Amino acid sequence: GTLFLDEIGDLDLSTQTKLLRVLQDGTYERVGSGEPLVSRARVVSATNKAVRPGEPGSGPVPTLREDLYYRLAVIEIEVPPLRARRSDIALLVAHALAGTQSRAVSEDAMAYLLAYRWPGNVRELIHLVQRASVLSGGEVIDVPHLPETLVASRAIATEL
């Protein structure tokens, strides 16, 4: 199978050491058992931070043990934040709508979605669409169904 390690950049040194041991040997032990088990799992890891190999805690950029970094960095894929790829927003909104009672977002509401910074990236967008759909109670999400913080952030941006 596949083991997905999210936010790998937040691992403390102790956990990094344990993970490296599993990745190197392919073995691990269940809690409370001394019997080694073998794993053939493919490991996929992700982080939303710039991670560089080096001595943990050696600077402002989160770091991983160098040997762990190179063990995980077989293929690196960088996905820019949502604010850097605004052309994806309409497609992601359409995808998020598929799981709701709403079928569309008004042009005005979409303008707010396109102007927002999206610090929470795709997860924030998906949850916002789900929330707005519940609040709309209908087939179209409009500006009043959007969170006040999102609406206010656009108002502030247009005043600058």
Side-chain angles (χ1 to χ4, degrees):
T2 300
L3 174 63
F4 178 60
L5 303 172
D6 198 10
E7 300 306 339
I8 194 81
D10 292 337
L11 286 180
D12 60 62
L13 184 57
S14 171
T15 306
Q16 288 183 37
T17 303
K18 292 173 186 174
L19 176 60
L20 181 62
R21 196 170 311 125
V22 172
L23 293 174
Q24 286 177 337
D25 301 339
T27 62
Y28 64 97
E29 294 176 6
R30 286 190 183 133
V31 175
S33 170
E35 181 182 333
L37 300 170
V38 177
S39 171
R40 295 188 322 253
R42 170 184 24 212
V43 176
V44 177
S45 60
T47 184
N48 67 355
K49 299 175 178 142
V51 178
R52 62 174 168 76
E55 195 61 35
S58 64
V61 178
T63 59
L64 288 176
R65 288 176 47 134
E66 190 169 8
D67 46 0
L68 178 58
Y69 175 83
Y70 290 115
R71 175 75 59 180
L72 292 170
V74 176
I75 297 175
E76 292 184 53
I77 301 171
E78 185 174 332
V79 179
L82 188 53
R83 67 183 160 275
R85 48 192 177 99
R86 296 198 185 278
S87 60
D88 291 354
I89 291 174
L91 292 170
L92 291 166
V93 167
H95 174 73
L97 285 172
T100 70
Q101 66 183 9
S102 300
R103 299 291 164 240
V105 174
S106 72
E107 285 185 34
D108 289 342
M110 185 60 78
Y112 279 92
L113 297 177
L114 291 169
Y116 186 58
R117 279 192 62 251
W118 297 110
N121 284 306
V122 176
R123 286 186 190 127
E124 182 183 11
L125 174 64
I126 299 297
H127 292 148
L128 185 143
V129 170
Q130 292 170 346
R131 174 188 183 276
S133 175
V134 169
L135 293 176
S136 77
E139 291 195 4
V140 179
I141 295 172
D142 206 351
V143 175
H145 309 126
L146 301 177
E148 290 181 29
T149 54
L150 184 139
V151 175
S153 71
R154 181 167 185 228
I156 291 168
T158 56
E159 291 174 5
L160 297 177

